[in-house]
Amino acid sequence: MKLDHIGIAVKSVDATLDIYRRMMDFQERRTVVESQKAKIALVPIGDISLELLEPTGPDSSLAKFIADRGEGIHHIAFEVEDIEASMREYGAKGFHFTYDKPAPGKFGSLVNFILPRDTGRVLIELTQRSH
Ligand code: CO
């Protein structure tokens, strides 16, 4: 398992990209993930990425997060080889997940989230890349 990305909730992907462009040069990848109601820009930093997450509308859980806590770090994501096996393993150890089954993530990945109440209040994403 390795750190894959850090998710950051933002009001505007474009405005936040402008901040990071003042620090470094990069080529971001963009997408929209309907299941998470998120407009995403991925900023590569070495082997990992910053995942900038803008709500697609007021019904997005990201919009609620920003309203409650402001913009900022939303989750950290670990890459796993087999997300269903990881869900079984962690489930057996008492961790609870947001979804019963892996959900479609960005660029063909499968994702699920361990509830923050089980992790010391950090939302942890498990992500299995498309192969
Ligand atoms: Co993520």
Side-chain angles (χ1 to χ4, degrees), residues 36-72:
Q36 293 172 47
K37 296 188 168 74
K39 180 176 161 184
I40 291 174
L42 271 188
V43 177
I45 299 182
D47 291 337
I48 74 160
S49 309
L50 299 182
E51 182 184 70
L52 307 180
L53 301 152
E54 176 184 325
T56 55
D59 60 337
S60 166
S61 64
L62 287 162
K64 183 179 184 328
F65 178 94
I66 291 169
D68 291 347
R69 299 168 62 169
E71 294 177 293

Side-chain angles (χ1 to χ4, degrees), residues 1-7 45-50 73 75-80 122-127 129:
M1 193 156 84
K2 70 182 186 77
L3 185 63
D4 183 79
H5 65 266
I6 298 169
I45 299 182
D47 291 337
I48 74 160
S49 309
L50 299 182
I73 293 178
H75 65 270
I76 62 174
F78 297 122
E79 183 185 352
V80 296
V122 174
L123 181 62
I124 295 179
E125 173 186 331
L126 300 183
T127 182
R129 290 181 185 228

